[in-house]
Amino acid sequence: MAHTHDHASQDNNAKRLKLAFGITATFMVIEVIGGLISGSLALLADAGHMLTDAAALLFALLAVHFSHKPASKGRTFGWLRLTTLAAFVNALALLGITLMIVWEAIQRFYQPQPVAGVTMMLVAVAGLIANILSFWILHRGSEEKNLNVRAAALHVLGDLLGSVGAIAAALVILWTGWTPIDPILSVLVSCLVLRSAWQLMKESVNELLEGAPGSLDIPALKRNLSRSIPEVRDVHHVHVWMVGEKPIMTLHVQVIPPHDHDALLERIQHFLEHHYQISHATIQMEYGPCSGPDCRLNDVQAGHAHHHHH
């Protein structure tokens, strides 16, 4: 029963994401054309922001799609990392777009360009409506607490600010004819884009470099494991990394020889899943002290303390 429900909510998420992606991608194209016709840089900056949203929605969709794909002999994790790689490429592209817009804005301060206020206004309002629609579609789905859907909804929320900025610039141009407001606001919108690009870059690079999830404190995990399970004497050789938002872990545990090896193993697994949401852990249990060359792999702080033991 639980399984079918999970699939239903996944498909539901996918539907919402597809719809929001369609709306966002369409309006991004409209904003690019509108920006070029009206000569408004703020609209182009907002289109850049919409591109980040469309990309975020696309990755969320891909992640849903690839998490259904079975793993193969050659790819034991399936294709989950592909979304991480795509996110990284997207972040690079966004940084490039932002730099181009800021550069163009600087040029326009020196040589102001005419901006067609009415066209700009119409396109900006249409963009705002598209964003509100996307956000509404996604937000209704966020009670499932799917990380991708939530991230996409946040993106779209940031984009609302971009559209509001473009509308404000259009109003100023219509009322006062002061065109420098357009590059000024385009730089502000670019800062929004830069923030999401930087966040995306940090997270995707951490995942590609096999970094541990940011929230995980490994020394604390080792201490807690030893405290919670009395048979555990030492935890070492700990590796944690992320594959498609799922943490994966390998560790060596030195234990007092138990009556029931499998029961102890299960308790350790339960501890990791319960306290750290790590459901995929490979645990090597040892009865003697570890003697391999890389036993002290991540005991940086314990380096000095160990000389006294020997």
Side-chain angles (χ1 to χ4, degrees):
M1 186 61 215
H3 190 72
T4 49
H5 168 77
D6 186 50
H7 266 291
S9 82
Q10 280 277 44
D11 294 340
N12 216 342
N13 280 334
K15 257 195 224 114
R16 289 202 177 96
L17 289 167
K18 264 185 201 140
L19 208 56
F21 174 69
I23 294 169
T24 309
T26 311
F27 273 89
M28 178 191 79
V29 175
I30 292 173
E31 274 200 313
V32 170
I33 296 167
L36 293 171
I37 292 172
S38 64
S40 161
L41 198 56
L43 275 186
L44 287 176
D46 194 35
H49 204 165
M50 279 206 153
L51 179 63
T52 65
D53 297 347
L57 290 164
L58 188 59
F59 298 146
L61 260 175
L62 285 172
V64 170
H65 174 69
F66 283 126
S67 61
H68 284 337
K69 267 204 179 334
S72 64
K73 275 200 292 262
R75 290 196 173 77
T76 55
F77 285 121
W79 292 88
L80 290 173
R81 264 291 162 80
L82 204 57
T83 47
T84 314
L85 196 56
F88 175 69
V89 173
N90 179 36
L92 283 179
L94 289 176
L95 293 172
I97 290 170
T98 314
L99 289 173
M100 273 158 59
I101 286 174
V102 171
W103 176 248
E104 179 63 26
I106 293 167
Q107 304 291 25
R108 285 194 182 195
F109 276 121
Y110 295 116
Q111 297 147 343
Q113 305 282 337
V115 177
V118 180
T119 314
M120 180 178 172
M121 187 71 192
L122 289 173
V123 177
V125 169
L128 182 67
I129 293 169
N131 283 324
I132 291 171
L133 196 58
S134 294
F135 184 70
W136 181 71
I137 289 168
L138 289 171
H139 201 67
R140 277 187 22 229
S142 59
E143 65 268 10
E144 268 113 36
K145 290 285 173 276
N146 179 312
L147 193 73
N148 278 315
V149 177
R150 276 204 347 251
L154 278 177
H155 261 281
V156 174
L157 198 58
D159 205 32
L160 283 170
L161 299 172
S163 295
V164 170
I167 291 173
L171 284 173
V172 169
I173 288 167
L174 284 173
W175 288 335
T176 67
W178 189 60
T179 49
I181 186 70
D182 181 55
I184 289 172
L185 275 169
S186 75
V187 170
L188 284 178
V189 175
S190 296
C191 291
L192 288 175
V193 181
L194 211 55
R195 231 189 93 228
S196 34
W198 182 245
Q199 202 51 41
L200 200 59
M201 183 79 118
K202 252 179 28 191
E203 284 170 19
S204 57
V205 165
N206 183 46
E207 229 176 277
L208 291 173
L209 293 179
E210 309 294 1
S215 55
L216 187 64
D217 176 355
I218 292 180
L221 180 147
K222 291 160 76 166
R223 284 196 303 275
N224 291 340
L225 184 58
S226 306
R227 272 186 208 140
S228 309
I229 300 177
E231 289 91 329
V232 172
R233 303 171 72 168
D234 185 36
V235 183
H236 48 271
H237 222 313
V238 179
H239 293 276
V240 188
W241 67 102
M242 302 281 287
V243 176
E245 284 173 8
K246 292 183 178 63
I248 293 185
M249 184 174 197
T250 60
L251 67 161
H252 287 195
V253 186
Q254 188 199 339
V255 295
I256 297 164
H259 299 303
D260 185 344
H261 178 279
D262 289 357
L264 178 57
L265 192 57
E266 205 161 287
R267 274 163 62 205
I268 296 172
Q269 266 164 340
H270 180 261
F271 170 85
L272 291 173
E273 186 161 10
H274 191 69
H275 293 280
Y276 292 96
Q277 285 71 56
I278 298 172
S279 51
H280 188 130
T282 305
I283 302 157
Q284 176 171 324
M285 285 181 17
E286 302 163 337
Y287 298 155
C290 181
S291 56
D294 40 10
C295 289
R296 295 277 151 243
L297 184 71
N298 33 25
D299 281 9
V300 189
Q301 78 285 16
H304 310 293
H306 272 315
H307 297 305
H308 310 305
H309 287 270
H310 297 309

